[in-house]
Amino acid sequence: MASSQDFVDFVVEQIENAGEITARKMFGEYAVYADGKLFGLICDNKLFIKPTAAGREFIGNVVEAPPYPGAKNSFLIEDQIEDCEWLSELVRISVKELPMPKPKKKKK
């Protein structure tokens, strides 16, 4: 089941205080970026955040699940998805630990 645009818009609104938030459609689901860094996925109308040590510490009781079959586990955010301050802080903490995206090679 593909995620709905309404759910994606809701998530982006919830974390708008965590930087420049964008969502890009990929294979019927969405990749979510903060200031150009990929930090999460929205799959089947669920938010998954890339795991980081600081994010794990901030969340405390972490629920992990793969966003799609064959994927590595990510933090599944369910209960606190409506808490925009908590969610924005989690995104800020997580993005600090994630590497910058590799520069794309120019096509010849």
Side-chain angles (χ1 to χ4, degrees):
M1 175 180 98
S3 296
S4 71
Q5 187 63 53
D6 287 343
F7 184 77
V8 173
D9 293 344
F10 169 74
V11 170
V12 169
E13 282 179 26
Q14 289 297 91
I15 53 180
E16 65 186 3
N17 295 327
E20 185 181 331
I21 306 300
T22 57
R24 185 175 302 153
K25 193 167 190 167
M26 294 185 170
F27 310 112
E29 300 297 354
Y30 293 82
V32 191
Y33 299 81
D35 299 325
K37 278 188 187 179
L38 174 64
F39 71 87
L41 298 171
I42 297 175
C43 300
D44 293 331
N45 284 341
K46 295 178 184 173
L47 175 62
F48 297 87
I49 304 284
K50 284 188 170 188
T52 62
R56 185 177 304 279
E57 188 175 319
F58 179 76
I59 293 170
N61 189 15
V62 176
V63 175
E64 292 186 80
Y68 54 89
K72 293 180 182 177
N73 279 352
S74 293
F75 298 153
L76 174 58
I77 309 303
E78 293 179 301
D79 296 342
Q80 293 175 291
I81 198 160
E82 293 190 15
D83 184 341
C84 62
E85 289 180 23
W86 183 91
L87 193 56
S88 292
E89 184 63 15
L90 172 60
V91 170
R92 283 190 290 271
I93 287 169
S94 298
V95 167
K96 281 182 190 175
E97 272 191 49
L98 295 171
M100 285 301 293
K102 294 177 184 170
K104 293 183 180 179
K105 294 180 181 176
K106 293 184 179 181
K107 294 180 182 177
K108 293 181 181 183

